[in-house]
């Protein structure tokens, strides 16, 4: 039996009520609170601020007259658990992670977008919900909507398997940390993931996909490439961020339009 929120009940972490969401079934989830307003206004110039509590900055937009929540998750899997648990209680059924990522393949370039069809569970939070053998798989309808939207808009993209880690530095085999050390069990993992055909590194997708599967919800993920690990460990300059951001905003809006239209049939 699902534990839905009562009328007027404020979710402890995100600071939202079911009334504030106006019946929203869709949520876009960037990690960065500073990215929320831009994303919300990109899909709806009339989007309105709802609340800001902890790392959870929330705006409400409308696409095809359907309310869409845009809310930041903060960084990492543990923060995603609050999003899925509390928004699920408020009636959200479809989640799309919209963020940034590092490419692992030569043909996925800076400014392109990576669409996740599944994720490697190198996170920790998802293990509280399902054993490691349980796959982190994106919802097919959400994934196909993102793919078709990218094709229609002629946005360069790659559909593939994401590697989700809890650590930006050793977890992604970066050696530019404070002391430059990567524990032995993670040394060589970058080349291994590349050899296995994984497309990108990031920090939230596996947790989101696992929890939504466990809870019977839909989820997908799209990220703009702002680092190319086949070249260096460096993060790209702001110009690349802006290009990637504009691209994933456009693709996400079009994918939402497709999902909403299909859901109404």
């Amino acid at each position: 039996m699902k534990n839905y929120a009562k009328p007027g009940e404020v979710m402890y972490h995100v600071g939202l009520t079911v009334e504030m969401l106006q019946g929203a079934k869709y949520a876009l989830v960037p990690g960065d609170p500073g990215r929320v307003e831009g994303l919300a206004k990109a899909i709806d110039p009339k989007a309105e601020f709802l609340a800001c509590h902890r790392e959870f900055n929330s705006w409400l937009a409308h696409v095809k007259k359907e309310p869409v929540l845009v809310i930041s998750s903060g960084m990492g899997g543990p923060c995603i658990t609050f999003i899925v648990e509390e928004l699920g209680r408020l009636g959200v059924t479809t989640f799309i992670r919209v963020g940034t990522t590092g490419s692992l393949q030569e043909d996925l370039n800076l400014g392109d977008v990576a669409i996740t069809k599944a994720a490697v569970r190198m996170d920790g939070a998802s293990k509280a919900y399902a054993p490691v053998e349980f796959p982190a798989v994106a919802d097919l309808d959400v994934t196909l909507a993102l793919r078709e939207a990218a094709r229609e808009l002629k946005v360069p993209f790659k559909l593939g398997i994401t590697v989700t880690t809890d650590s930006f530095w050793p977890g992604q085999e970066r050696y530019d940390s404070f002391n430059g050390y990567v524990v032995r069990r993670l040394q060589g993992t970058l080349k291994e993931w590349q050899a296995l055909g994984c497309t990108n590194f990031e920090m939230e997708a596996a947790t989101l996909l696992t929890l939504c599967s466990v809870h019977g919800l839909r989820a997908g993920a799209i990220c703009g490439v702002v680092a190319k690990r086949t070249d260096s460990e460096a993060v790209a300059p702001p110009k690349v961020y802006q290009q990637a951001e504009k691209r994933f905003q456009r693709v996400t809006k079009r994918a939402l339009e497709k999902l909403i239209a299909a859901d109404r049939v």
Side-chain angles (χ1 to χ4, degrees):
M1 184 175 178
K2 302 297 185 183
N3 179 27
Y4 290 110
K6 298 178 179 63
E9 183 180 359
V10 179
M11 296 296 97
Y12 181 74
H13 297 95
V14 299
L16 299 172
T17 66
V18 68
E19 290 83 3
M20 293 168 73
L21 266 60
Q22 299 179 23
K25 301 294 183 184
Y26 306 87
L28 304 183
V29 188
D32 183 0
R35 193 174 290 135
V36 172
E37 181 177 357
L39 177 57
K41 289 184 176 179
I43 67 170
D44 175 10
K46 296 182 179 179
E48 297 182 350
F49 171 76
L50 288 183
C52 188
H53 191 239
R54 303 174 186 257
E55 62 266 53
F56 308 113
N57 182 20
S58 305
W59 283 63
L60 191 69
H62 286 79
V63 175
K64 297 179 77 70
K65 298 183 179 180
E66 192 77 29
V68 176
L69 178 66
V70 185
I71 181 171
S72 55
S73 67
M75 289 189 289
C79 295
I80 284 289
T81 65
F82 297 112
I83 292 291
V84 177
E85 290 283 3
E86 296 194 351
L87 296 188
R89 292 194 64 207
L90 295 176
V92 174
T93 59
T94 301
F95 297 76
I96 303 178
R97 162 158 161 67
V98 185
T100 54
T101 193
S103 165
L104 296 177
Q105 300 297 333
E106 287 287 358
D107 60 349
L108 184 58
N109 298 304
L110 292 174
D112 292 356
V113 297
I115 299 171
T116 300
K117 64 180 180 181
V120 180
R121 292 173 57 196
M122 291 289 286
D123 68 319
S126 70
K127 295 177 179 65
Y129 288 82
V132 293
E133 295 83 1
F134 188 90
V137 181
D139 177 80
L140 184 60
D141 291 335
V142 175
T143 304
L144 291 178
L146 290 167
R147 186 187 70 176
E148 294 309 310
R151 284 178 173 171
E152 284 183 15
L153 297 169
K154 294 180 169 50
V155 169
F157 75 96
K158 192 171 181 66
L159 176 69
I161 297 174
T162 293
V163 181
T164 298
T165 71
D166 277 340
S167 165
F168 182 79
W169 281 277
Q172 299 183 12
E173 203 186 350
R174 291 177 181 271
Y175 293 91
D176 60 347
S177 62
F178 183 47
N179 71 358
Y181 182 68
V182 174
V183 296
R184 191 174 304 162
R185 67 182 177 83
L186 294 174
Q187 293 176 19
T189 51
L190 174 62
K191 287 186 177 180
E192 184 169 49
W193 297 129
Q194 289 170 330
L196 290 169
C198 297
T199 48
N200 58 304
F201 270 137
E202 56 79 78
M203 299 180 67
E204 290 86 27
T207 314
L208 177 66
L209 301 183
T210 301
L211 267 66
C212 284
S213 290
V214 168
H215 290 322
L217 305 168
R218 301 193 302 186
I222 179 172
C223 291
V225 176
V226 297
K228 190 167 183 181
R229 296 299 305 283
T230 55
D231 295 340
S232 74
E233 296 177 23
V235 176
K239 183 178 180 180
V240 173
Y241 263 86
Q242 293 165 6
Q243 181 187 48
E245 190 168 24
K246 287 180 180 178
R247 283 175 169 171
F248 65 57
Q249 287 174 348
R250 292 171 61 218
V251 173
T252 302
K253 180 179 180 179
R254 184 69 185 113
L256 271 174
E257 291 171 347
K258 290 176 173 292
L259 285 169
I260 290 167
D263 290 345
R264 286 176 176 172
V265 174

